[in-house]
Amino acid sequence: MLQEVTIPCGKYDYNPETKKVSIVKAKGLLTLCLNEENELQLKWYNLDQDSKLEIERFLIKGFTFFEKVKGQNRVYLLRFTDDDQKYFFWMQSEDQSLDENYCKQFNNVINAQVLDDPIEIEQQPPVQTQSQSHSQPVQQQMDQQQQQLLQLLQQQLAQKVGPGLSLTDLLNSEFLTQISNDQEYFEALKEYLPPDQQNLEQFRQNLLSPQFKQALDQLTHALKGRERSSVIQQLDLDYRVLEQEFDGVIAFVKAIIRKAQNKN
């Protein structure tokens, strides 16, 4: 799956407030690589500064467009539909006739990314916590509890989905109280907690604390912003979910569901 294109080009600094650009008078090198993990990674190096890496970003097919700027000589624009970031580049190859070919190669690499099918979030039947047989292995019990948690999250998403959805809408006090009062749910989540916080009482206090709600509000704000794809990626989740879901909060939850399903 590995594909790559390398383009000799300089860049402009773009001011999103004034909508103006200023040229960076340096030789540069733009690379786009589709790696073995099916990730599109963009990099731009300043060759006049010992090949200093000045731009690095992961791209998503369907949200990324590389095109010539009309009326401008050898200037190309890299734009995105999921945020307002723009990158302007000016071609530096001696043979100007290669410009369009570089542009075509760049877009070919983007289009080579294989996107998964959309996640279907369906209404799940009500989940009832059932006592587990003592003869079952502990790991199997934990996996079953994690599956029940996953179903609860799917139910919340199906019931609450709509414009302006926030994480505190999904993880409301009723939902968090249900989770925090269940010893088996705690055991299922214990492996994800810091070593010094792996006790039920502290788990309960943290979930129901104002600080946790504030953290959810802050994460909601980040997921609603123009860098939502980067936020999802930094949380070790599949940012490609944004290909099917524009809302960052819904995409975030679907990415969690996808990761849990792949794990199991």
Side-chain angles (χ1 to χ4, degrees), residues 168-193:
T168 49
D169 293 329
L170 291 172
L171 307 181
N172 54 33
S173 58
E174 180 182 356
F175 178 82
L176 293 177
T177 299
Q178 177 185 359
I179 301 300
S180 65
N181 288 331
D182 193 301
Q183 175 73 38
E184 292 180 333
Y185 285 152
F186 165 70
E187 293 297 334
L189 294 171
K190 186 176 179 180
E191 64 178 289
Y192 303 105
L193 301 175

Side-chain angles (χ1 to χ4, degrees), residues 27-41:
K27 290 185 177 180
L29 201 63
L30 180 68
T31 67
L32 177 65
C33 176
L34 178 64
N35 61 29
E36 297 294 344
E37 286 71 43
N38 195 39
E39 297 172 328
L40 285 168
Q41 188 171 23

Side-chain angles (χ1 to χ4, degrees), residues 22 28 45 68 79 103 128 158 173 180 183 185 195 248:
S22 57
Y45 300 91
K68 190 177 187 303
R79 61 180 178 87
C103 181
Q128 301 294 331
S173 58
S180 65
Q183 175 73 38
Y185 285 152

